[in-house]
PDB file of all heavy atoms in Angstrom:
ATOM      1  N   ALA A  86      59.557   0.862 121.376  1.00  0.00           N
ATOM      2  CA  ALA A  86      60.562  -0.203 120.939  1.00  0.00           C
ATOM      3  C   ALA A  86      61.800   0.419 120.189  1.00  0.00           C
ATOM      4  O   ALA A  86      62.898  -0.037 120.456  1.00  0.00           O
ATOM      5  CB  ALA A  86      59.818  -1.201 120.068  1.00  0.00           C
ATOM      6  N   GLU A  87      61.454   1.332 119.235  1.00  0.00           N
ATOM      7  CA  GLU A  87      62.574   1.879 118.523  1.00  0.00           C
ATOM      8  C   GLU A  87      63.438   2.723 119.452  1.00  0.00           C
ATOM      9  O   GLU A  87      64.677   2.811 119.139  1.00  0.00           O
ATOM     10  CB  GLU A  87      62.066   2.758 117.384  1.00  0.00           C
ATOM     11  CG  GLU A  87      61.434   2.019 116.305  1.00  0.00           C
ATOM     12  CD  GLU A  87      61.198   2.803 114.985  1.00  0.00           C
ATOM     13  OE1 GLU A  87      61.622   3.945 114.954  1.00  0.00           O
ATOM     14  OE2 GLU A  87      60.210   2.317 114.277  1.00  0.00           O
ATOM     15  N   GLU A  88      62.802   3.429 120.465  1.00  0.00           N
ATOM     16  CA  GLU A  88      63.771   4.209 121.445  1.00  0.00           C
ATOM     17  C   GLU A  88      64.734   3.288 122.099  1.00  0.00           C
ATOM     18  O   GLU A  88      65.808   3.776 122.306  1.00  0.00           O
ATOM     19  CB  GLU A  88      62.708   4.825 122.532  1.00  0.00           C
ATOM     20  CG  GLU A  88      61.839   5.922 121.926  1.00  0.00           C
ATOM     21  CD  GLU A  88      62.314   7.252 122.521  1.00  0.00           C
ATOM     22  OE1 GLU A  88      62.833   7.215 123.631  1.00  0.00           O
ATOM     23  OE2 GLU A  88      62.115   8.275 121.817  1.00  0.00           O
ATOM     24  N   HIS A  89      64.278   2.041 122.429  1.00  0.00           N
ATOM     25  CA  HIS A  89      65.229   1.214 123.178  1.00  0.00           C
ATOM     26  C   HIS A  89      65.848   0.240 122.364  1.00  0.00           C
ATOM     27  O   HIS A  89      66.528  -0.671 122.964  1.00  0.00           O
ATOM     28  CB  HIS A  89      64.341   0.643 124.317  1.00  0.00           C
ATOM     29  CG  HIS A  89      63.907   1.708 125.407  1.00  0.00           C
ATOM     30  ND1 HIS A  89      62.458   2.052 125.353  1.00  0.00           N
ATOM     31  CD2 HIS A  89      64.469   2.493 126.155  1.00  0.00           C
ATOM     32  CE1 HIS A  89      62.352   3.058 126.218  1.00  0.00           C
ATOM     33  NE2 HIS A  89      63.501   3.229 126.684  1.00  0.00           N
ATOM     34  N   ALA A  90      65.760   0.301 120.997  1.00  0.00           N
ATOM     35  CA  ALA A  90      66.466  -0.662 120.234  1.00  0.00           C
ATOM     36  C   ALA A  90      67.961  -0.667 120.437  1.00  0.00           C
ATOM     37  O   ALA A  90      68.510   0.435 120.968  1.00  0.00           O
ATOM     38  CB  ALA A  90      66.133  -0.345 118.770  1.00  0.00           C
ATOM     39  N   ALA A  91      68.575  -1.589 120.034  1.00  0.00           N
ATOM     40  CA  ALA A  91      70.038  -1.539 120.061  1.00  0.00           C
ATOM     41  C   ALA A  91      70.646  -0.453 119.333  1.00  0.00           C
ATOM     42  O   ALA A  91      70.054  -0.038 118.276  1.00  0.00           O
ATOM     43  CB  ALA A  91      70.582  -2.888 119.605  1.00  0.00           C
ATOM     44  N   PRO A  92      71.693   0.155 119.803  1.00  0.00           N
ATOM     45  CA  PRO A  92      72.338   1.354 118.982  1.00  0.00           C
ATOM     46  C   PRO A  92      72.635   0.935 117.593  1.00  0.00           C
ATOM     47  O   PRO A  92      72.870  -0.165 117.349  1.00  0.00           O
ATOM     48  CB  PRO A  92      73.543   1.666 119.878  1.00  0.00           C
ATOM     49  CG  PRO A  92      73.430   0.922 121.112  1.00  0.00           C
ATOM     50  CD  PRO A  92      72.456  -0.195 120.873  1.00  0.00           C
ATOM     51  N   PRO A  93      72.583   1.991 116.657  1.00  0.00           N
ATOM     52  CA  PRO A  93      72.896   1.579 115.270  1.00  0.00           C
ATOM     53  C   PRO A  93      74.320   1.389 115.160  1.00  0.00           C
ATOM     54  O   PRO A  93      75.120   1.625 116.104  1.00  0.00           O
ATOM     55  CB  PRO A  93      72.447   2.849 114.610  1.00  0.00           C
ATOM     56  CG  PRO A  93      72.484   3.963 115.534  1.00  0.00           C
ATOM     57  CD  PRO A  93      72.198   3.276 116.812  1.00  0.00           C
ATOM     58  N   GLU A  94      74.783   1.215 113.987  1.00  0.00           N
ATOM     59  CA  GLU A  94      76.237   1.000 113.663  1.00  0.00           C
ATOM     60  C   GLU A  94      76.969   2.311 114.090  1.00  0.00           C
ATOM     61  O   GLU A  94      76.524   3.435 113.781  1.00  0.00           O
ATOM     62  CB  GLU A  94      76.334   0.855 112.135  1.00  0.00           C
ATOM     63  CG  GLU A  94      77.901   0.416 111.790  1.00  0.00           C
ATOM     64  CD  GLU A  94      78.174   0.676 110.357  1.00  0.00           C
ATOM     65  OE1 GLU A  94      77.191   0.856 109.631  1.00  0.00           O
ATOM     66  OE2 GLU A  94      79.343   0.841 109.989  1.00  0.00           O
ATOM     67  N   GLN A  95      78.095   2.169 114.783  1.00  0.00           N
ATOM     68  CA  GLN A  95      78.862   3.327 115.337  1.00  0.00           C
ATOM     69  C   GLN A  95      79.830   3.868 114.259  1.00  0.00           C
ATOM     70  O   GLN A  95      80.958   3.754 114.435  1.00  0.00           O
ATOM     71  CB  GLN A  95      79.589   3.077 116.607  1.00  0.00           C
ATOM     72  CG  GLN A  95      78.687   2.375 117.748  1.00  0.00           C
ATOM     73  CD  GLN A  95      77.765   3.493 118.335  1.00  0.00           C
ATOM     74  OE1 GLN A  95      78.192   4.439 118.908  1.00  0.00           O
ATOM     75  NE2 GLN A  95      76.438   3.369 118.021  1.00  0.00           N
ATOM     76  N   SER A  96      79.278   4.373 113.169  1.00  0.00           N
ATOM     77  CA  SER A  96      80.087   4.863 112.115  1.00  0.00           C
ATOM     78  C   SER A  96      80.645   6.327 112.492  1.00  0.00           C
ATOM     79  O   SER A  96      80.049   7.022 113.128  1.00  0.00           O
ATOM     80  CB  SER A  96      79.313   4.983 110.786  1.00  0.00           C
ATOM     81  OG  SER A  96      78.261   5.917 111.015  1.00  0.00           O
ATOM     82  N   HIS A  97      81.864   6.486 111.819  1.00  0.00           N
ATOM     83  CA  HIS A  97      82.601   7.777 112.354  1.00  0.00           C
ATOM     84  C   HIS A  97      82.659   8.760 111.204  1.00  0.00           C
ATOM     85  O   HIS A  97      83.275   9.909 111.399  1.00  0.00           O
ATOM     86  CB  HIS A  97      83.971   7.453 112.765  1.00  0.00           C
ATOM     87  CG  HIS A  97      83.994   6.709 114.138  1.00  0.00           C
ATOM     88  ND1 HIS A  97      84.004   7.425 115.223  1.00  0.00           N
ATOM     89  CD2 HIS A  97      83.956   5.442 114.358  1.00  0.00           C
ATOM     90  CE1 HIS A  97      83.975   6.519 116.209  1.00  0.00           C
ATOM     91  NE2 HIS A  97      83.828   5.237 115.766  1.00  0.00           N
TER      92      HIS A  97
END
Side-chain angles (χ1 to χ4, degrees):
Chain A
E87 286 187 23
E88 288 247 332
H89 297 106
E94 189 201 342
Q95 303 291 298
S96 61
H97 289 274

